[in-house]
Amino acid sequence: GVRHEGTPEGKIEFIGGVRCYVGTPSGEYNEEKAVLFLTDVFGIDLINAQLLVDDLARNGFKTIAIDYLNGDPFPVDVLTGGKHDINAWIVKHGNDQTRPNIDRVVAVLKEQGVKDFGSTGYCFGSRYGFDLAFENITKVTVVSHPSLLKVPKDLEKYKKLSKAPLLINSCTVDQRFPREYQAEADRILGDGEQFTATYRREYFEGCTHGFAIRGDVSKPEVKAGKEGSFKATVLFFKNYL
């Protein structure tokens, strides 16, 4: 992956004691709705994530990127060739260590008047997107190149437990959510189809895992995938949130 260029417009805020990067629409917006931005392993300080939060805010959604990694993201120098053990890192960032921060933020936002939550999860963050949907905390779910899903178990669980419409942004080369997993999602959630009333899977040819948040936009097909997945996410929220 690569770092993207731009100037973040949002603010760091503490919500329920949890550090968050918050994007707030500049004009009028529905304050009873909010999007939970569930980052990949690089966390809320990666500029790529902040720029996406800003863009969601520009499209009318108050968006909160939650530091559920407790100030300990995966080292960003991996993007420039650094070597670190992702499995050792994941052991220290299990559900018991990470999920409480999300729950604290949701509780405070509810106290502030938010009634409907959407979530957009990238890679590692998609696990939490599914978990929130299982509990029907969120009204709409978007995941991009998801990681840590158990297939077909989590897909079957989603169909059984969640009422939240689901969008999956998928791609050609993805060891975490390969083509066979994509086909399983269509079979289980889409009744064999890529699109239904409450399930949609977008597919971006020529893209690899991570394209929606840290893709190399100097490559035309990756730029198209990043922009296309963002557009699909916005439209999905506008339709269902």
Side-chain angles (χ1 to χ4, degrees):
V2 300
R3 288 194 195 209
H4 297 152
E5 296 181 359
T7 302
E9 299 172 350
K11 295 181 179 179
I12 295 293
E13 299 180 14
F14 285 84
I15 302 174
V18 179
R19 189 168 176 266
C20 299
Y21 179 83
V22 180
T24 305
S26 58
E28 291 186 7
Y29 68 97
N30 189 336
E31 297 183 15
E32 295 184 347
K33 299 180 179 183
V35 171
L36 305 176
F37 190 102
L38 306 168
T39 70
D40 62 10
V41 295
F42 297 107
I44 70 169
D45 290 304
L46 183 68
I47 190 171
N48 305 23
Q50 295 181 352
L51 295 174
L52 283 170
V53 169
D54 293 346
D55 286 341
L56 285 165
R58 279 200 199 95
N59 280 274
F61 299 102
K62 183 165 185 176
T63 305
I64 301 95
I66 304 167
D67 179 15
Y68 62 99
L69 305 179
N70 297 303
D72 183 32
F74 199 58
V76 75
D77 67 354
V78 167
L79 297 178
T80 52
K83 301 295 183 182
H84 298 276
D85 186 346
I86 185 68
N87 293 318
W89 181 89
I90 286 176
V91 168
K92 298 185 296 181
H93 297 79
N95 190 70
D96 289 346
Q97 297 101 323
T98 52
R99 175 64 190 270
N101 281 10
I102 298 173
D103 291 337
R104 280 194 283 270
V105 171
V106 167
V108 171
L109 291 174
K110 284 183 176 179
E111 290 173 2
Q112 294 175 351
V114 177
K115 295 181 178 179
D116 294 325
F117 293 93
S119 74
T120 178
Y122 299 83
C123 312
F124 186 82
S126 300
R127 170 73 269 167
Y128 301 88
F130 263 60
D131 291 342
L132 292 169
F134 291 161
E135 299 168 37
N136 287 298
I137 292 170
T138 45
K139 185 179 178 181
V140 188
T141 309
V142 178
V143 295
S144 299
H145 34 78
S147 297
L148 302 180
L149 297 184
K150 297 175 182 178
V151 176
K153 181 180 177 181
D154 281 327
L155 300 171
E156 292 168 343
K157 189 175 180 180
Y158 198 104
K159 185 171 185 176
K160 180 179 180 180
L161 297 180
S162 181
K163 300 182 180 71
L166 172 66
L167 165 65
I168 300 175
N169 289 312
S170 62
C171 61
T172 307
V173 180
D174 191 343
Q175 70 277 24
R176 305 292 184 182
F177 199 71
R179 296 297 296 274
E180 56 266 32
Y181 285 11
Q182 297 170 31
E184 279 287 88
D186 292 350
R187 180 181 69 82
I188 294 167
L189 296 168
D191 298 322
E193 302 294 332
Q194 199 166 325
F195 307 123
T196 68
T198 57
Y199 168 76
R200 187 174 187 90
R201 182 176 66 82
E202 296 286 358
Y203 172 78
F204 297 96
E205 183 72 38
C207 292
T208 61
H209 182 80
F211 73 95
I213 192 167
R214 54 182 190 269
D216 184 352
V217 293
S218 70
K219 298 177 180 179
E221 67 275 19
V222 180
K223 185 174 187 289
K226 179 181 179 296
E227 293 177 353
S229 61
F230 178 79
K231 180 179 179 181
T233 298
V234 169
L235 290 175
F236 207 69
F237 285 143
K238 286 186 180 293
N239 285 335
Y240 294 107
L241 183 58

